[in-house]
Amino acid sequence: MIKIITVGTIKEKYLKDAIEEYRKRLRRYIDIDIIEIKDEGLLPPLQAMAKEGEKIIKYLNEKDYIITLEIEGKELTSEELSKKIEETMIINSNITFIIGGSYGIDKRIKERANYHLSFSKLTFPHQLFRVLLLEQLYRAFKIINNESYHK
């Protein structure tokens, strides 16, 4: 199972539609659970990250292999990401991806993470990033299963 814990909610219909489309495609390979945490962006940065971190921790368990999505993380190709997912799932069937809020991810979450992943040094809107993550997960499972996917 893959769990995505994300700070903030999606309001735009076109993004909701894209998310639902990738979730539908992924069901063929794996169950995806998306958990939305309230964005605390009105608080000062450290307080916001701490409060969001407390909420995120409630959804983590000891069996989760935790991957934080952060600019400081390691960049992988799609093929490398698919290999990382495949190898991780052999040992641990629960992978949890964490997308932080507008200020980032609380240090307690980063310390608890098993892996720190970056999609780019660029900054992306959090709502759009959820679509990017789901698309890359779909691509990874197509690669794992030796299926073609439009490049």
Side-chain angles (χ1 to χ4, degrees):
M1 173 177 204
I2 290 183
K3 182 168 40 176
I4 299 171
I5 302 174
T6 180
V7 177
T9 58
I10 304 292
K11 296 174 184 80
E12 298 84 358
K13 183 182 180 327
Y14 71 97
L15 291 173
K16 287 180 180 179
D17 290 345
I19 289 164
E20 201 45 49
E21 177 62 28
Y22 282 111
R23 285 182 81 171
K24 184 175 75 176
R25 292 181 187 192
L26 279 160
R27 281 187 198 114
R28 177 174 170 211
Y29 306 104
I30 194 157
D31 290 327
I32 301 276
D33 187 18
I34 298 177
I35 299 162
E36 293 180 337
I37 302 295
K38 183 179 180 286
D39 184 348
E40 300 293 342
L42 297 177
L43 294 173
L46 291 177
Q47 285 180 325
M49 287 189 298
K51 195 164 186 178
E52 291 163 357
E54 289 169 16
K55 294 175 186 176
I56 290 169
I57 287 171
K58 292 178 184 175
Y59 291 98
L60 301 177
N61 68 56
E62 294 301 317
K63 294 181 182 178
D64 290 343
Y65 184 91
I66 299 168
I67 299 176
T68 53
L69 294 149
E70 50 187 288
I71 282 181
E72 305 85 14
K74 181 174 167 90
E75 291 184 32
L76 301 175
T77 65
S78 294
E79 290 80 11
E80 290 168 335
L81 178 60
S82 68
K83 185 176 180 181
K84 177 75 177 161
I85 290 170
E86 186 174 32
E87 289 172 351
T88 300
M89 294 195 87
I90 291 170
I91 299 165
N92 191 325
S93 60
N94 297 325
I95 300 177
T96 297
F97 289 89
I98 298 175
I99 302 171
S102 54
Y103 298 124
I105 299 172
D106 183 66
K107 67 178 181 168
R108 292 171 298 169
I109 304 299
K110 289 182 178 185
E111 289 167 358
R112 193 160 170 187
N114 301 93
Y115 196 81
H116 306 272
L117 177 64
S118 175
F119 274 23
S120 170
K121 298 296 179 197
L122 298 172
T123 301
F124 297 102
H126 291 84
Q127 298 87 348
L128 180 59
F129 192 78
R130 194 180 315 181
V131 176
L132 293 174
L133 173 59
L134 288 167
E135 189 282 331
Q136 283 300 304
L137 290 173
Y138 177 66
R139 185 179 298 273
F141 280 98
K142 294 291 272 186
I143 292 168
I144 290 166
N145 288 283
N146 295 315
E147 297 171 3
S148 63
Y149 184 58
H150 185 268
K151 294 184 179 190

